[in-house]
Amino acid sequence: MKNKICELRRSKGLSQEALAKEVGVTRQTINSIEKGKYIASLPLAYKISAYFDLKIEVVFDFSELESDDE
Amino acid sequence: MNKFKERLILERKIYFVALIILIILTIILIKKNVIVIVSNNSDENLLDFVLGVRLGIVVGCIFNVLFLLVRSHYTLTNKERFEKCYVKANDERRKHIMQNVESMTMKLLFVILVIALIVATFLNTIVAVTIISVLALIRIIYGITYFYYRSKF
């Protein structure tokens, strides 16, 4: 699943480690989510979105799921 | 975080009790000379081997439990390490990896056992029956856990 975490993180001048600490996961988890290798759970997606003060659908791209349903 | 701390405290208590039990067991084994009783009718080399293996297992277990005890105590007393362990224990990607590893291990184990059963059927009936029993037991445990989690979620 595509997402804007990397862009948002860089715009805030945060490292993966710092973001991971803020949302309570490991740096590897943030790295995997950014690369699209791992899909974050709903609570984690909420935490990340809340940290950037944005809605989940802004941070995460759900268009793939929508096209799967059609 | 409190739940994690409580779990660590409980773990530390369990390790402590296990360590005491192991030490008592070692003392009993040495004092009662369990191995010497066997020695009357046994070969000297075999006796030495048995003694070494037993002592090795017990000492290994003691050191292992001691290591776990020291580690859990250090985690509880060191704030930085505690936070690191908390994140590691609750990291969802790690949990996901562990679930997949466990599931794949069980599937591969099952396939290997089925192959072993096919081979054993031609070679040894007792081994084949044992493998069938293990396979049946795995399926029974699978069924029980499936019904447990189906009712849970």
Side-chain angles (χ1 to χ4, degrees), chain A residues 1-14:
Chain A
M1 185 187 276
K2 287 175 188 170
N3 57 70
K4 291 178 185 165
I5 296 173
C6 193
E7 297 166 44
L8 293 164
R9 183 173 59 76
R10 280 184 181 153
S11 68
K12 276 205 169 196
L14 278 172

Side-chain angles (χ1 to χ4, degrees), chain B residues 69-97:
Chain B
L69 181 71
V70 171
R71 196 179 67 173
S72 63
H73 180 75
Y74 180 62
T75 309
L76 276 164
T77 49
N78 189 309
K79 202 185 169 192
E80 202 178 313
R81 186 174 159 80
F82 178 78
E83 279 170 8
K84 221 175 179 179
C85 284
Y86 176 75
V87 169
K88 208 175 169 186
N90 291 290
D91 184 53
E92 59 174 55
R93 179 175 157 269
R94 198 179 149 85
K95 281 181 187 172
H96 183 71
I97 291 168

